[in-house]
PDB file of all heavy atoms in Angstrom:
ATOM      1  N   PRO A 809     -91.920 -51.429 -58.194  1.00  0.00           N
ATOM      2  CA  PRO A 809     -92.707 -52.607 -58.548  1.00  0.00           C
ATOM      3  C   PRO A 809     -93.500 -53.182 -57.383  1.00  0.00           C
ATOM      4  O   PRO A 809     -94.684 -53.573 -57.555  1.00  0.00           O
ATOM      5  CB  PRO A 809     -91.675 -53.652 -59.012  1.00  0.00           C
ATOM      6  CG  PRO A 809     -90.453 -52.846 -59.324  1.00  0.00           C
ATOM      7  CD  PRO A 809     -90.491 -51.626 -58.441  1.00  0.00           C
ATOM      8  N   LEU A 810     -92.946 -53.155 -56.192  1.00  0.00           N
ATOM      9  CA  LEU A 810     -93.675 -53.677 -55.037  1.00  0.00           C
ATOM     10  C   LEU A 810     -94.856 -52.762 -54.688  1.00  0.00           C
ATOM     11  O   LEU A 810     -95.951 -53.267 -54.366  1.00  0.00           O
ATOM     12  CB  LEU A 810     -92.742 -53.765 -53.825  1.00  0.00           C
ATOM     13  CG  LEU A 810     -91.629 -54.828 -53.893  1.00  0.00           C
ATOM     14  CD1 LEU A 810     -90.662 -54.651 -52.743  1.00  0.00           C
ATOM     15  CD2 LEU A 810     -92.221 -56.190 -53.927  1.00  0.00           C
ATOM     16  N   ALA A 811     -94.663 -51.453 -54.746  1.00  0.00           N
ATOM     17  CA  ALA A 811     -95.740 -50.523 -54.484  1.00  0.00           C
ATOM     18  C   ALA A 811     -96.845 -50.615 -55.503  1.00  0.00           C
ATOM     19  O   ALA A 811     -98.041 -50.559 -55.157  1.00  0.00           O
ATOM     20  CB  ALA A 811     -95.194 -49.105 -54.403  1.00  0.00           C
ATOM     21  N   VAL A 812     -96.530 -50.781 -56.782  1.00  0.00           N
ATOM     22  CA  VAL A 812     -97.524 -50.893 -57.826  1.00  0.00           C
ATOM     23  C   VAL A 812     -98.347 -52.180 -57.651  1.00  0.00           C
ATOM     24  O   VAL A 812     -99.592 -52.141 -57.741  1.00  0.00           O
ATOM     25  CB  VAL A 812     -96.895 -50.818 -59.247  1.00  0.00           C
ATOM     26  CG1 VAL A 812     -97.864 -51.282 -60.329  1.00  0.00           C
ATOM     27  CG2 VAL A 812     -96.361 -49.439 -59.527  1.00  0.00           C
ATOM     28  N   LEU A 813     -97.705 -53.304 -57.392  1.00  0.00           N
ATOM     29  CA  LEU A 813     -98.412 -54.529 -57.187  1.00  0.00           C
ATOM     30  C   LEU A 813     -99.260 -54.530 -55.933  1.00  0.00           C
ATOM     31  O   LEU A 813    -100.406 -54.979 -55.899  1.00  0.00           O
ATOM     32  CB  LEU A 813     -97.473 -55.721 -57.172  1.00  0.00           C
ATOM     33  CG  LEU A 813     -96.774 -55.990 -58.534  1.00  0.00           C
ATOM     34  CD1 LEU A 813     -95.677 -57.011 -58.358  1.00  0.00           C
ATOM     35  CD2 LEU A 813     -97.832 -56.486 -59.540  1.00  0.00           C
ATOM     36  N   GLY A 814     -98.720 -53.944 -54.868  1.00  0.00           N
ATOM     37  CA  GLY A 814     -99.524 -53.779 -53.625  1.00  0.00           C
ATOM     38  C   GLY A 814    -100.720 -52.895 -53.844  1.00  0.00           C
ATOM     39  O   GLY A 814    -101.814 -53.180 -53.343  1.00  0.00           O
ATOM     40  N   PHE A 815    -100.557 -51.804 -54.576  1.00  0.00           N
ATOM     41  CA  PHE A 815    -101.651 -50.883 -54.924  1.00  0.00           C
ATOM     42  C   PHE A 815    -102.734 -51.635 -55.726  1.00  0.00           C
ATOM     43  O   PHE A 815    -103.917 -51.449 -55.490  1.00  0.00           O
ATOM     44  CB  PHE A 815    -101.122 -49.694 -55.670  1.00  0.00           C
ATOM     45  CG  PHE A 815    -102.229 -48.799 -56.190  1.00  0.00           C
ATOM     46  CD1 PHE A 815    -102.808 -47.859 -55.337  1.00  0.00           C
ATOM     47  CD2 PHE A 815    -102.605 -48.823 -57.510  1.00  0.00           C
ATOM     48  CE1 PHE A 815    -103.801 -47.035 -55.799  1.00  0.00           C
ATOM     49  CE2 PHE A 815    -103.594 -47.990 -57.972  1.00  0.00           C
ATOM     50  CZ  PHE A 815    -104.201 -47.101 -57.140  1.00  0.00           C
ATOM     51  N   ALA A 816    -102.299 -52.453 -56.682  1.00  0.00           N
ATOM     52  CA  ALA A 816    -103.272 -53.165 -57.527  1.00  0.00           C
ATOM     53  C   ALA A 816    -104.111 -54.124 -56.689  1.00  0.00           C
ATOM     54  O   ALA A 816    -105.332 -54.225 -56.848  1.00  0.00           O
ATOM     55  CB  ALA A 816    -102.532 -53.884 -58.637  1.00  0.00           C
ATOM     56  N   ILE A 817    -103.449 -54.860 -55.803  1.00  0.00           N
ATOM     57  CA  ILE A 817    -104.159 -55.823 -54.970  1.00  0.00           C
ATOM     58  C   ILE A 817    -105.071 -55.060 -53.984  1.00  0.00           C
ATOM     59  O   ILE A 817    -106.230 -55.482 -53.764  1.00  0.00           O
ATOM     60  CB  ILE A 817    -103.181 -56.747 -54.236  1.00  0.00           C
ATOM     61  CG1 ILE A 817    -102.482 -57.631 -55.258  1.00  0.00           C
ATOM     62  CG2 ILE A 817    -103.890 -57.565 -53.195  1.00  0.00           C
ATOM     63  CD1 ILE A 817    -101.357 -58.427 -54.695  1.00  0.00           C
ATOM     64  N   ALA A 818    -104.592 -53.972 -53.441  1.00  0.00           N
ATOM     65  CA  ALA A 818    -105.410 -53.162 -52.493  1.00  0.00           C
ATOM     66  C   ALA A 818    -106.646 -52.592 -53.262  1.00  0.00           C
ATOM     67  O   ALA A 818    -107.738 -52.572 -52.689  1.00  0.00           O
ATOM     68  CB  ALA A 818    -104.617 -52.065 -51.869  1.00  0.00           C
ATOM     69  N   GLY A 819    -106.451 -52.141 -54.460  1.00  0.00           N
ATOM     70  CA  GLY A 819    -107.569 -51.636 -55.246  1.00  0.00           C
ATOM     71  C   GLY A 819    -108.616 -52.689 -55.519  1.00  0.00           C
ATOM     72  O   GLY A 819    -109.828 -52.477 -55.377  1.00  0.00           O
ATOM     73  N   TYR A 820    -108.130 -53.904 -55.912  1.00  0.00           N
ATOM     74  CA  TYR A 820    -109.020 -55.017 -56.158  1.00  0.00           C
ATOM     75  C   TYR A 820    -109.767 -55.397 -54.868  1.00  0.00           C
ATOM     76  O   TYR A 820    -110.984 -55.644 -54.887  1.00  0.00           O
ATOM     77  CB  TYR A 820    -108.202 -56.224 -56.665  1.00  0.00           C
ATOM     78  CG  TYR A 820    -109.067 -57.459 -56.877  1.00  0.00           C
ATOM     79  CD1 TYR A 820    -109.850 -57.602 -58.008  1.00  0.00           C
ATOM     80  CD2 TYR A 820    -109.046 -58.506 -55.948  1.00  0.00           C
ATOM     81  CE1 TYR A 820    -110.618 -58.707 -58.193  1.00  0.00           C
ATOM     82  CE2 TYR A 820    -109.788 -59.629 -56.152  1.00  0.00           C
ATOM     83  CZ  TYR A 820    -110.576 -59.757 -57.254  1.00  0.00           C
ATOM     84  OH  TYR A 820    -111.348 -60.869 -57.451  1.00  0.00           O
ATOM     85  N   HIS A 821    -109.048 -55.382 -53.741  1.00  0.00           N
ATOM     86  CA  HIS A 821    -109.660 -55.733 -52.454  1.00  0.00           C
ATOM     87  C   HIS A 821    -110.762 -54.734 -52.105  1.00  0.00           C
ATOM     88  O   HIS A 821    -111.820 -55.138 -51.649  1.00  0.00           O
ATOM     89  CB  HIS A 821    -108.580 -55.777 -51.388  1.00  0.00           C
ATOM     90  CG  HIS A 821    -109.025 -56.417 -50.126  1.00  0.00           C
ATOM     91  ND1 HIS A 821    -108.200 -56.490 -49.032  1.00  0.00           N
ATOM     92  CD2 HIS A 821    -110.176 -56.972 -49.730  1.00  0.00           C
ATOM     93  CE1 HIS A 821    -108.837 -57.113 -48.029  1.00  0.00           C
ATOM     94  NE2 HIS A 821    -110.045 -57.384 -48.427  1.00  0.00           N
ATOM     95  N   ASN A 822    -110.528 -53.441 -52.336  1.00  0.00           N
ATOM     96  CA  ASN A 822    -111.553 -52.446 -52.046  1.00  0.00           C
ATOM     97  C   ASN A 822    -112.770 -52.622 -52.934  1.00  0.00           C
ATOM     98  O   ASN A 822    -113.900 -52.491 -52.493  1.00  0.00           O
ATOM     99  CB  ASN A 822    -110.971 -51.036 -52.188  1.00  0.00           C
ATOM    100  CG  ASN A 822    -110.318 -50.598 -50.922  1.00  0.00           C
ATOM    101  OD1 ASN A 822    -110.953 -50.149 -50.019  1.00  0.00           O
ATOM    102  ND2 ASN A 822    -109.009 -50.784 -50.843  1.00  0.00           N
ATOM    103  N   LEU A 823    -112.562 -52.902 -54.232  1.00  0.00           N
ATOM    104  CA  LEU A 823    -113.683 -53.134 -55.148  1.00  0.00           C
ATOM    105  C   LEU A 823    -114.504 -54.320 -54.708  1.00  0.00           C
ATOM    106  O   LEU A 823    -115.725 -54.328 -54.756  1.00  0.00           O
ATOM    107  CB  LEU A 823    -113.170 -53.323 -56.565  1.00  0.00           C
ATOM    108  CG  LEU A 823    -112.558 -52.103 -57.258  1.00  0.00           C
ATOM    109  CD1 LEU A 823    -111.953 -52.469 -58.615  1.00  0.00           C
ATOM    110  CD2 LEU A 823    -113.634 -51.020 -57.431  1.00  0.00           C
ATOM    111  N   LEU A 824    -113.819 -55.350 -54.204  1.00  0.00           N
ATOM    112  CA  LEU A 824    -114.505 -56.557 -53.742  1.00  0.00           C
ATOM    113  C   LEU A 824    -115.247 -56.236 -52.408  1.00  0.00           C
ATOM    114  O   LEU A 824    -116.367 -56.610 -52.223  1.00  0.00           O
ATOM    115  CB  LEU A 824    -113.467 -57.659 -53.510  1.00  0.00           C
ATOM    116  CG  LEU A 824    -114.022 -58.983 -52.997  1.00  0.00           C
ATOM    117  CD1 LEU A 824    -114.877 -59.639 -54.073  1.00  0.00           C
ATOM    118  CD2 LEU A 824    -112.869 -59.888 -52.631  1.00  0.00           C
ATOM    119  N   TYR A 825    -114.574 -55.500 -51.543  1.00  0.00           N
ATOM    120  CA  TYR A 825    -115.121 -55.224 -50.208  1.00  0.00           C
ATOM    121  C   TYR A 825    -116.385 -54.374 -50.332  1.00  0.00           C
ATOM    122  O   TYR A 825    -117.350 -54.596 -49.593  1.00  0.00           O
ATOM    123  CB  TYR A 825    -114.063 -54.471 -49.378  1.00  0.00           C
ATOM    124  CG  TYR A 825    -114.477 -54.194 -47.977  1.00  0.00           C
ATOM    125  CD1 TYR A 825    -114.237 -55.122 -46.964  1.00  0.00           C
ATOM    126  CD2 TYR A 825    -115.073 -52.985 -47.619  1.00  0.00           C
ATOM    127  CE1 TYR A 825    -114.612 -54.856 -45.660  1.00  0.00           C
ATOM    128  CE2 TYR A 825    -115.422 -52.724 -46.309  1.00  0.00           C
ATOM    129  CZ  TYR A 825    -115.204 -53.663 -45.331  1.00  0.00           C
ATOM    130  OH  TYR A 825    -115.557 -53.411 -44.043  1.00  0.00           O
ATOM    131  N   TYR A 826    -116.386 -53.420 -51.198  1.00  0.00           N
ATOM    132  CA  TYR A 826    -117.541 -52.519 -51.339  1.00  0.00           C
ATOM    133  C   TYR A 826    -118.597 -53.042 -52.359  1.00  0.00           C
ATOM    134  O   TYR A 826    -119.542 -52.304 -52.670  1.00  0.00           O
ATOM    135  CB  TYR A 826    -117.108 -51.096 -51.721  1.00  0.00           C
ATOM    136  CG  TYR A 826    -116.388 -50.434 -50.562  1.00  0.00           C
ATOM    137  CD1 TYR A 826    -115.024 -50.238 -50.590  1.00  0.00           C
ATOM    138  CD2 TYR A 826    -117.090 -50.063 -49.414  1.00  0.00           C
ATOM    139  CE1 TYR A 826    -114.358 -49.646 -49.510  1.00  0.00           C
ATOM    140  CE2 TYR A 826    -116.447 -49.481 -48.357  1.00  0.00           C
ATOM    141  CZ  TYR A 826    -115.095 -49.282 -48.389  1.00  0.00           C
ATOM    142  OH  TYR A 826    -114.470 -48.686 -47.327  1.00  0.00           O
ATOM    143  N   GLY A 827    -118.415 -54.253 -52.864  1.00  0.00           N
ATOM    144  CA  GLY A 827    -119.435 -54.892 -53.678  1.00  0.00           C
ATOM    145  C   GLY A 827    -119.406 -54.532 -55.169  1.00  0.00           C
ATOM    146  O   GLY A 827    -120.346 -54.862 -55.871  1.00  0.00           O
ATOM    147  N   PHE A 828    -118.320 -53.878 -55.629  1.00  0.00           N
ATOM    148  CA  PHE A 828    -118.266 -53.591 -57.081  1.00  0.00           C
ATOM    149  C   PHE A 828    -117.840 -54.809 -57.880  1.00  0.00           C
ATOM    150  O   PHE A 828    -118.074 -54.867 -59.106  1.00  0.00           O
ATOM    151  CB  PHE A 828    -117.270 -52.448 -57.315  1.00  0.00           C
ATOM    152  CG  PHE A 828    -117.778 -51.124 -56.783  1.00  0.00           C
ATOM    153  CD1 PHE A 828    -117.208 -50.597 -55.639  1.00  0.00           C
ATOM    154  CD2 PHE A 828    -118.789 -50.441 -57.380  1.00  0.00           C
ATOM    155  CE1 PHE A 828    -117.627 -49.407 -55.116  1.00  0.00           C
ATOM    156  CE2 PHE A 828    -119.241 -49.236 -56.906  1.00  0.00           C
ATOM    157  CZ  PHE A 828    -118.668 -48.714 -55.744  1.00  0.00           C
ATOM    158  N   ILE A 829    -117.238 -55.770 -57.220  1.00  0.00           N
ATOM    159  CA  ILE A 829    -116.839 -57.041 -57.840  1.00  0.00           C
ATOM    160  C   ILE A 829    -117.539 -58.145 -57.088  1.00  0.00           C
ATOM    161  O   ILE A 829    -117.606 -58.138 -55.887  1.00  0.00           O
ATOM    162  CB  ILE A 829    -115.320 -57.236 -57.771  1.00  0.00           C
ATOM    163  CG1 ILE A 829    -114.587 -56.160 -58.602  1.00  0.00           C
ATOM    164  CG2 ILE A 829    -114.913 -58.612 -58.268  1.00  0.00           C
ATOM    165  CD1 ILE A 829    -113.088 -56.257 -58.527  1.00  0.00           C
ATOM    166  N   SER A 830    -118.023 -59.140 -57.832  1.00  0.00           N
ATOM    167  CA  SER A 830    -118.702 -60.283 -57.235  1.00  0.00           C
ATOM    168  C   SER A 830    -117.766 -61.089 -56.363  1.00  0.00           C
ATOM    169  O   SER A 830    -116.603 -61.248 -56.677  1.00  0.00           O
ATOM    170  CB  SER A 830    -119.304 -61.148 -58.355  1.00  0.00           C
ATOM    171  OG  SER A 830    -119.766 -62.375 -57.815  1.00  0.00           O
ATOM    172  N   GLU A 831    -118.331 -61.616 -55.282  1.00  0.00           N
ATOM    173  CA  GLU A 831    -117.509 -62.463 -54.388  1.00  0.00           C
ATOM    174  C   GLU A 831    -117.135 -63.783 -55.082  1.00  0.00           C
ATOM    175  O   GLU A 831    -116.254 -64.486 -54.590  1.00  0.00           O
ATOM    176  CB  GLU A 831    -118.258 -62.770 -53.105  1.00  0.00           C
ATOM    177  CG  GLU A 831    -118.213 -61.633 -52.136  1.00  0.00           C
ATOM    178  CD  GLU A 831    -118.523 -62.058 -50.733  1.00  0.00           C
ATOM    179  OE1 GLU A 831    -117.838 -62.949 -50.205  1.00  0.00           O
ATOM    180  OE2 GLU A 831    -119.430 -61.439 -50.132  1.00  0.00           O
ATOM    181  N   ALA A 832    -117.733 -64.117 -56.216  1.00  0.00           N
ATOM    182  CA  ALA A 832    -117.379 -65.303 -56.955  1.00  0.00           C
ATOM    183  C   ALA A 832    -115.974 -65.147 -57.551  1.00  0.00           C
ATOM    184  O   ALA A 832    -115.281 -66.116 -57.858  1.00  0.00           O
ATOM    185  CB  ALA A 832    -118.361 -65.552 -58.076  1.00  0.00           C
ATOM    186  N   LEU A 833    -115.486 -63.904 -57.715  1.00  0.00           N
ATOM    187  CA  LEU A 833    -114.146 -63.630 -58.276  1.00  0.00           C
ATOM    188  C   LEU A 833    -113.107 -63.364 -57.204  1.00  0.00           C
ATOM    189  O   LEU A 833    -112.147 -62.669 -57.419  1.00  0.00           O
ATOM    190  CB  LEU A 833    -114.238 -62.384 -59.192  1.00  0.00           C
ATOM    191  CG  LEU A 833    -115.175 -62.507 -60.376  1.00  0.00           C
ATOM    192  CD1 LEU A 833    -115.257 -61.159 -61.105  1.00  0.00           C
ATOM    193  CD2 LEU A 833    -114.657 -63.561 -61.341  1.00  0.00           C
ATOM    194  N   THR A 834    -113.274 -63.988 -56.056  1.00  0.00           N
ATOM    195  CA  THR A 834    -112.343 -63.734 -54.941  1.00  0.00           C
ATOM    196  C   THR A 834    -111.486 -64.978 -54.677  1.00  0.00           C
ATOM    197  O   THR A 834    -111.922 -66.102 -54.841  1.00  0.00           O
ATOM    198  CB  THR A 834    -113.145 -63.358 -53.660  1.00  0.00           C
ATOM    199  OG1 THR A 834    -112.178 -63.160 -52.627  1.00  0.00           O
ATOM    200  CG2 THR A 834    -114.098 -64.416 -53.248  1.00  0.00           C
ATOM    201  N   PRO A 835    -110.237 -64.720 -54.267  1.00  0.00           N
ATOM    202  CA  PRO A 835    -109.376 -65.850 -53.913  1.00  0.00           C
ATOM    203  C   PRO A 835    -109.618 -66.332 -52.488  1.00  0.00           C
ATOM    204  O   PRO A 835    -109.011 -67.272 -52.018  1.00  0.00           O
ATOM    205  CB  PRO A 835    -107.955 -65.235 -54.025  1.00  0.00           C
ATOM    206  CG  PRO A 835    -108.142 -63.822 -53.704  1.00  0.00           C
ATOM    207  CD  PRO A 835    -109.516 -63.456 -54.271  1.00  0.00           C
ATOM    208  N   CYS A 836    -110.533 -65.669 -51.772  1.00  0.00           N
ATOM    209  CA  CYS A 836    -110.813 -65.987 -50.366  1.00  0.00           C
ATOM    210  C   CYS A 836    -111.835 -67.125 -50.289  1.00  0.00           C
ATOM    211  O   CYS A 836    -113.012 -66.897 -49.921  1.00  0.00           O
ATOM    212  CB  CYS A 836    -111.291 -64.781 -49.638  1.00  0.00           C
ATOM    213  SG  CYS A 836    -110.174 -63.391 -49.743  1.00  0.00           S
ATOM    214  N   THR A 837    -111.440 -68.320 -50.636  1.00  0.00           N
ATOM    215  CA  THR A 837    -112.350 -69.460 -50.606  1.00  0.00           C
ATOM    216  C   THR A 837    -112.312 -70.180 -49.259  1.00  0.00           C
ATOM    217  O   THR A 837    -113.242 -70.884 -48.902  1.00  0.00           O
ATOM    218  CB  THR A 837    -112.059 -70.427 -51.727  1.00  0.00           C
ATOM    219  OG1 THR A 837    -110.697 -70.852 -51.627  1.00  0.00           O
ATOM    220  CG2 THR A 837    -112.288 -69.829 -53.074  1.00  0.00           C
ATOM    221  N   GLN A 838    -111.214 -70.056 -48.537  1.00  0.00           N
ATOM    222  CA  GLN A 838    -111.096 -70.686 -47.229  1.00  0.00           C
ATOM    223  C   GLN A 838    -110.751 -69.615 -46.184  1.00  0.00           C
ATOM    224  O   GLN A 838    -110.094 -68.652 -46.504  1.00  0.00           O
ATOM    225  CB  GLN A 838    -110.001 -71.737 -47.253  1.00  0.00           C
ATOM    226  CG  GLN A 838    -110.304 -72.916 -48.152  1.00  0.00           C
ATOM    227  CD  GLN A 838    -109.146 -73.891 -48.167  1.00  0.00           C
ATOM    228  OE1 GLN A 838    -108.050 -73.605 -47.698  1.00  0.00           O
ATOM    229  NE2 GLN A 838    -109.394 -75.078 -48.682  1.00  0.00           N
ATOM    230  N   GLY A 839    -111.168 -69.806 -44.987  1.00  0.00           N
ATOM    231  CA  GLY A 839    -110.845 -68.891 -43.936  1.00  0.00           C
ATOM    232  C   GLY A 839    -111.748 -67.688 -43.980  1.00  0.00           C
ATOM    233  O   GLY A 839    -112.923 -67.746 -44.334  1.00  0.00           O
ATOM    234  N   VAL A 840    -111.164 -66.493 -43.669  1.00  0.00           N
ATOM    235  CA  VAL A 840    -111.891 -65.257 -43.565  1.00  0.00           C
ATOM    236  C   VAL A 840    -112.259 -64.754 -44.963  1.00  0.00           C
ATOM    237  O   VAL A 840    -111.454 -64.805 -45.885  1.00  0.00           O
ATOM    238  CB  VAL A 840    -111.034 -64.176 -42.863  1.00  0.00           C
ATOM    239  CG1 VAL A 840    -111.773 -62.877 -42.751  1.00  0.00           C
ATOM    240  CG2 VAL A 840    -110.641 -64.696 -41.499  1.00  0.00           C
TER     241      VAL A 840
END
């Protein structure tokens, strides 16, 4: 379960990082 959840967040992070997902859908509102 930990590996699956970590993989899902890492996948989402990569989609966001490479611009496939809008930055409006990010939890990173403060800080980096």
Side-chain angles (χ1 to χ4, degrees):
L810 292 171
V812 167
L813 291 170
F815 173 80
I817 293 171
Y820 178 78
H821 193 181
N822 275 276
L823 290 173
L824 180 69
Y825 185 87
Y826 291 108
F828 293 106
I829 296 176
S830 169
E831 282 200 55
L833 298 173
T834 179
C836 304
T837 56
Q838 295 178 346
V840 179

